[in-house]
Each structure stands twice: as structure tokens, then as C-alpha cells.
Amino acid sequence: MLEEVERWLATRSWSVADRPLHRVLAAKQRSGQTVSVVLPALNEESTVGDIVSVIRHDLMRQAPLVDEIVVVDSGSTDRTSEVAAAAGARVVHRDAILPRLPAVPGKGEVLWRSLLATGGDVVAFVDADLKEFSSDFVLGIVGPLLTDPGVDLVKAMYDRPLAGAAGQGGRVTELMARPLLNMHWPQLAGFVQPLGGEYAARRSLLEQLPFPVGYGVELGMLVDALHLVGLDALAQVDVGVRKHRHQDGQALGRMSAAIYRTAQLRLARGHLIRPSLTQFERGVSGFEPRTYSVDTEERPPMAEIAEYAERRVA
């Protein structure tokens, strides 16, 4: 491991217990910064309400750490929006944000648009499929940003059990993202969960980053932030255990392909001849091919969008 990464692990990797809530609240009061929590959601009615309720109870009613919770629904066909609103979140549909630009499918698209739907100086992203959710996830990733002006982005790290086995989750991380980062961006080799969906950053950083619209958003954001603000402005916090709904192997294959494409664009090594992925499913006549596009569209930095600039001026 690079000596720089070893030093970073010793100085920029923390536990949620390192910054108790009272200390983070005091820092927030001194700085006057505001905090937004964003949950990107698609058909998560079984989990989104509990997550919102825990954040509202622990970090809004009992302690004024979070200023707003926004659930951005990207086209749910279940009761995700109703459940989130009943739990106390402000619910915004993806298509209602920046309507002059037709929305495209993907998590990164939702996160990018959420910058226009929120006002916090610090924006925390939390996946909406988490089970047994703890508000430590939010406290952990927000704490360093409020207490240390030299930190611009914080990723959560955690154990990811799979089928009861500890440490077996995060298959795309171990098989795709970690090898890519170690080979091409070794400064980022110290991140335990580089693809984790729980992270927070200063708005001043997020508005300068391009956003891959799909599964590549976490890797792309980490790489771009490294180049923009440097390794010492990035950090990670141990928040315990993450339990969530796991996807099947083919979905993980599509995710891996999108992440590879995101990395390839950033390596600037030319163009893929065929930016697509063919997988196979057994049908009535044997194995049938299914081909998916993995060409990764990206949204420009939000600071370049006229509507966002106008809102800041106003």
C-alpha cells in the first residue's frame, strides 16, 4: 500500500464514536451550516418510512442536526411516495426537478437533480433500501464535515453481511471497483466501501462535479473529488453494519459494466468499440441473449446549470 494511503488511513478514517452528537451539534451551531439528507428511492415502500422516521426522531426532534429530509422518487409504482411523506419527508418526483431536461433512468440522475431540490450546505445521501437503520449513519458521515473545515467528502464504511455471512456483501466492490481503484487510482485504495450509497459532502464540492447518471455515480464522484480537492479532503467513518436488499447476479453484472465504463471514461484511453453488455437467460428455446447498453451518460456540474445559478443569486 502507498505510504500516502497508510498515512490517510491513520488520519482520515474514524469511527462514529469519535464525534459524539453533542460535539457535532456545537460545531454546527458555531458554523451556521445547514444539513440536507437525500434519499433516492424507487419502489422502497417497505423501508423508506422507517429510515425517515428514525432520522426525524433522532436528528430533528431530539437533536437539531438535520434541517431537511428529501425523498426523491424516480418513478415508483408502489406506495414509496405516500409512505415517505407520512413519515415526515418532503417528497419530490425526479421529473419535477429541472423539467426542461428530460430525465433519464439511474440513481446518479436522481442525486444530481437533488441538488436543485435541497438547500443544505452539507448534503448527505442515504439509500432508501436499508434495514434496521440507525441514525449513526447520518451522524457519522456529517460529523467530520461540521467539525473539520479541511474535509469535503465523507463515505460511510461498514460490514455488509450476505445471507448471514459477515463480510460477504459488496460483491461488485470486491470484484470490480476495488481492483480498478487499486490499479488506476491507488490513492483511493484505503476506502473500505467506495461504492457505498451513504456519504455526505459539501455543496460547494458537489456542485462542481459531473454526475454519471447510473450505477457509476459513486466511483465517478470519488475519482473526480480526488482530482478536484485531493486525498486529504476525503474521509471515511465506521458506522457499524449495513443491511439491505441484495440484487441478483445479472443485475450485479450490469452494475459492474456501468462502473467499468465510468472508470474507462475517466482514464481517457479512447472509446469502447461496443459499450454494451450481453447476458443470457434460459428461455423456451435454450439460452437467450439479452443486451443492455452501458454507455454512461453524465450530467455536467450543477454549477453550470442556469436554473441552479439563478436560485443562488436569488
Side-chain angles (χ1 to χ4, degrees), residues 79-98:
R79 297 182 61 253
T80 291
S81 290
E82 293 87 344
V83 170
R90 177 162 60 90
V91 179
V92 184
H93 195 282
R94 174 200 61 195
D95 297 348
I97 307 170
L98 200 60

Side-chain angles (χ1 to χ4, degrees), residues 44 47 94 103 257 268 313:
E44 305 293 357
T47 51
R94 174 200 61 195
V313 170

